[in-house]
Amino acid sequence: MVKKLFSRLYVGLIILFLYAPIAVLIVLSFNDSKSRVVWGGFTTRWYSEVFSNSTILSAFATTIALALLSALIASVIGTLAALGIDRMRRKQYQVVMFFTNIPLLNADIVTGIALMLWFVRFLPLGFTSLLLAHVTFNIPYVILCVLPKLRQMDVNLYEAARDLGANSRTAFFKITFPFILPGVLSGFFLAVTMSMDDFVITYFTKGAGVNTLSTMIYGEIRKGIKPEMYALSTILFLIILLLLILMNIVPRLKNREQTASAVRDF
Amino acid sequence: MNRKLLAAPYLVWVAGFIIIPLLFILGKALTTADGGFTLQNIAAIASPIHRKALLLSLQLALLCTVICVLLAYPLALIVRSSKLNQQSIVMFILILPMWMNFILRILALQMLLSNNGILNMILSRFSIAPLEIINTPAAIVFGMVYDFLPYMILPVMNSILSIDNNLIAAARDLGANGFHVFWKVIFPLSLPGVASGITMVFVPAMTAFVISDILGGGKIQLLGNVIEQEFSVSMDWNLGSGLSVALMLFILATSLLLGRGQNQSDRGRLLW
């Protein structure tokens, strides 16, 4: 009994630790004062003002466009790569996976600087350079999500389709692709998350004219964060909370067993 | 058609955006501003100021990694011993904060920890002496643990939850007590997860510069800050590249020393 109480307390403290700053930010989004340290009363005006703040909205649009585009490109290149890597012999496989691990293992600051030094040779830094950088660090996540799916797949299924008269294209789209699709989708969502979350690589490869939400916030640290930013973050947080609940909890109620295994694969 | 060819676009990408940039940073590191060969940019890591930053970064990153292991391990054991399979809920709780911008979260942490901040307000209610940790290395470690803890919890929990119950039952049948079950079965089988957690926390902690900037009050220089300033303030790209390469070599050596060799594929999978 004491042990159980202690366990509950421990889990509670970790959750408190992780969520206390988020609670602070949500409270700040309702604070009727430009200052972070003064409570000026309750207001919802930041929530309406954020939609007329063009700098924040344009940084938000850049962030979203960058996340979706880079995740999409990375998903296509990464899925094709996984299909190819799956057929490679041991030696080739190891060499390719070594390079795939570099962006994951290398410090972000080194990746960002290295890409920037290369980009300035042939391209003005801006949205294009950001997109190239984000695709670069996103592809490995897609490969690592798709490859295990291919490894789990029974080759006989594909062979059976061929035996029954399907050509290789039909067999791929009817058998292989539906099987690896969950891996491709989780790779895509992971890539979106990583792109939205990135600050360091974006900071070094963005150039002067472009801002994402992260780099914009970083630029405002000394001047003071605009309260609209808290409102936008709270809205984003609630949307993701809702999405994750829909993805995790609802199917869980429908079919507990199936979800448990799906989440493990995810 | 040979399916291997499908990897061709990716291989071109690897050459163009992974290998060439690394050659470029190496090239910058090994040259002077007017293009002559030099080793000084890399050797600069040993100069007193940089060595101090390197040692402080190393200390804080090691401390952060140790604290993360100590916090994550009991949590994983607790989740395992709870009857429900709560793994997906725990994942959910850990991933959700990542969608709140990380710089904003660190700023909120600064408000919580500052001398007249929220934490000290609560402490004074209970007549406890205020904590003066903002702008000290302790605050930076606090921030690092806050930011990187999920990267430790997820792999450690993955490895502990995937231990087969039959193994534990077998150990019990053979007469092992609770301590022996932990020491001879659970602990060795959890080590791969701990090892990948260590890599995933140590590298970003070693190279952090935003956390130290905000929670250190701009006065404490970690290696990440030194490198960042070579690019944003001093504009000495050669020196900045040299220090980056030195940092990369240092991390590589440390991880080899820590006996890495775990598959980093975990980092991709565990986030979802």
Side-chain angles (χ1 to χ4, degrees):
Chain A
M1 197 60 219
V2 176
K3 201 176 163 192
K4 197 172 173 185
L5 199 72
F6 181 78
S7 300
R8 290 253 166 99
L9 191 70
Y10 189 80
V11 175
L13 281 175
I14 298 261
I15 292 177
L16 180 72
F17 176 55
L18 291 175
Y19 282 83
I22 289 175
V24 170
L25 292 172
I26 294 178
V27 169
L28 280 175
S29 75
F30 294 107
N31 181 12
D32 198 358
S33 155
K34 288 253 177 197
S35 159
R36 271 192 286 152
V37 284
V38 183
W39 176 252
F42 181 86
T43 181
T44 52
R45 73 178 159 122
W46 308 123
Y47 285 86
S48 48
E49 282 181 21
V50 67
F51 293 104
S52 50
N53 185 325
S54 59
T55 32
I56 291 186
L57 286 185
S58 99
F60 181 61
T62 309
T63 310
I64 296 285
L66 186 62
L68 292 179
L69 259 178
S70 70
L72 191 69
I73 299 172
S75 299
V76 173
I77 298 178
T79 305
L80 291 174
L83 287 165
I85 292 169
D86 186 44
R87 284 290 163 91
M88 287 178 182
R89 264 167 285 132
R90 197 173 167 74
K91 215 68 249 141
Q92 288 171 317
Y93 174 85
Q94 281 172 342
V95 172
V96 177
M97 289 318 276
F98 171 78
F99 285 108
T100 302
N101 275 326
I102 290 181
L104 297 178
L105 277 182
N106 211 347
D108 281 354
I109 192 169
V110 178
T111 307
I113 290 170
L115 282 168
M116 184 267 281
L117 290 173
W118 168 224
F119 287 154
V120 291
R121 286 301 173 99
F122 65 95
L123 167 100
L125 294 182
F127 189 79
T128 315
S129 62
L130 273 182
L131 187 62
L132 291 172
H134 279 234
V135 171
T136 304
F137 72 72
N138 273 338
I139 295 177
Y141 291 110
V142 176
I143 294 181
L144 294 179
C145 286
V146 176
L147 210 49
K149 281 277 164 202
L150 282 166
R151 291 277 140 116
Q152 283 165 21
M153 201 177 121
D154 187 347
V155 192
N156 291 327
L157 287 175
Y158 180 84
E159 300 291 332
R162 293 301 301 274
D163 279 353
L164 293 169
N167 60 25
S168 59
R169 176 189 292 259
T170 316
F172 173 78
F173 282 107
K174 291 277 179 191
I175 306 291
T176 312
F177 190 70
F179 191 84
I180 62 171
L181 189 60
V184 177
L185 288 179
S186 54
F188 176 81
F189 286 121
L190 189 57
V192 172
T193 313
M194 286 306 169
S195 170
M196 298 269 299
D197 192 47
D198 178 69
F199 165 72
V200 176
I201 295 173
T202 308
Y203 176 71
F204 281 104
T205 54
K206 81 183 176 67
V210 197
N211 257 330
T212 65
L213 287 176
S214 292
T215 59
M216 192 176 163
I217 292 168
Y218 186 70
E220 286 177 353
I221 291 177
R222 308 257 181 262
K223 294 179 280 177
I225 307 287
K226 295 196 184 72
E228 291 97 318
M229 199 60 100
Y230 303 126
L232 183 62
S233 302
T234 305
I235 296 174
L236 254 180
F237 181 80
L238 292 179
I239 290 175
I240 297 303
L241 176 67
L242 216 69
L243 268 177
L244 283 178
I245 289 177
L246 287 176
M247 271 160 56
N248 281 307
I249 313 275
V250 175
R252 196 183 163 83
L253 295 176
K254 270 192 203 151
N255 189 340
R256 278 169 175 266
E257 267 308 290
Q258 213 176 347
T259 325
S261 71
V263 167
R264 266 197 296 281
D265 290 344
F266 214 43
Chain B
M1 191 188 77
N2 188 345
R3 212 172 85 182
K4 267 194 252 179
L5 288 177
L6 293 175
Y10 174 59
L11 297 180
V12 173
W13 201 283
V14 167
F17 297 106
I18 295 178
I19 298 174
I20 293 179
L22 284 179
L23 293 177
F24 258 78
I25 198 171
L26 200 64
K28 265 273 185 248
L30 291 174
T31 50
T32 56
D34 43 15
F37 176 81
T38 179
L39 281 173
Q40 287 206 323
N41 295 320
I42 296 178
I45 193 85
S47 76
I49 297 178
H50 296 146
R51 198 171 50 208
K52 200 176 140 210
L54 176 70
L55 285 178
L56 186 62
S57 298
L58 183 64
Q59 274 173 10
L60 300 191
L62 282 176
L63 193 60
C64 161
T65 310
V66 170
I67 295 174
C68 282
V69 175
L70 293 180
L71 286 176
Y73 210 98
L75 186 72
L77 290 176
I78 289 172
V79 173
R80 186 186 164 88
S81 67
S82 63
K83 278 175 225 117
L84 288 163
N85 182 2
Q86 292 171 324
Q87 191 179 9
S88 62
I89 295 180
V90 179
M91 297 265 244
F92 176 87
I93 290 171
L94 290 175
I95 290 158
L96 193 56
M98 290 183 196
W99 279 82
M100 203 73 154
N101 185 284
F102 112 93
I103 302 177
L104 286 183
R105 282 184 287 137
I106 298 297
L107 284 169
L109 210 55
Q110 182 194 31
M111 296 178 58
L112 282 167
L113 296 179
S114 62
N115 289 343
N116 44 11
I118 297 165
L119 186 66
N120 279 335
M121 240 156 63
I122 297 170
L123 287 181
S124 70
R125 282 278 161 82
F126 296 98
S127 319
I128 302 172
L131 279 176
E132 294 186 352
I133 73 164
I134 197 71
N135 301 346
T136 65
I140 298 176
V141 174
F142 196 95
M144 286 173 172
V145 171
Y146 170 75
D147 202 32
F148 305 135
L149 184 61
Y151 292 102
M152 179 67 76
I153 295 178
L154 291 170
V156 170
M157 200 173 73
N158 250 346
S159 66
I160 288 188
L161 289 185
S162 63
I163 296 172
D164 192 341
N165 271 324
N166 290 329
L167 283 177
I168 290 165
R172 291 247 180 231
D173 275 354
L174 295 169
N177 59 23
F179 173 76
H180 276 117
V181 167
F182 175 76
W183 189 242
K184 296 280 183 189
V185 181
I186 296 180
F187 182 71
L189 288 173
S190 70
L191 283 181
V194 175
S196 46
I198 289 175
T199 328
M200 284 170 48
V201 170
F202 181 74
V203 174
M206 187 70 201
T207 58
F209 69 92
V210 179
I211 296 177
S212 46
D213 210 21
I214 297 176
L215 297 176
K219 292 183 203 80
I220 298 167
Q221 292 270 312
L222 297 187
L223 199 57
N225 300 88
V226 174
I227 294 174
E228 191 263 331
Q229 281 159 19
E230 289 302 334
F231 284 89
S232 66
V233 185
S234 327
M235 293 295 180
D236 189 342
W237 289 17
N238 297 90
L239 180 57
S241 303
L243 293 174
S244 304
V245 170
L247 174 68
M248 201 162 75
L249 295 176
F250 188 82
I251 290 175
L252 198 70
T254 319
S255 13
L256 287 179
L257 213 72
L258 288 171
R260 197 185 46 78
Q262 290 313 311
N263 58 334
Q264 274 63 44
S265 50
D266 280 359
R267 178 165 171 186
R269 214 165 321 137
L270 50 84
L271 281 175
W272 285 92

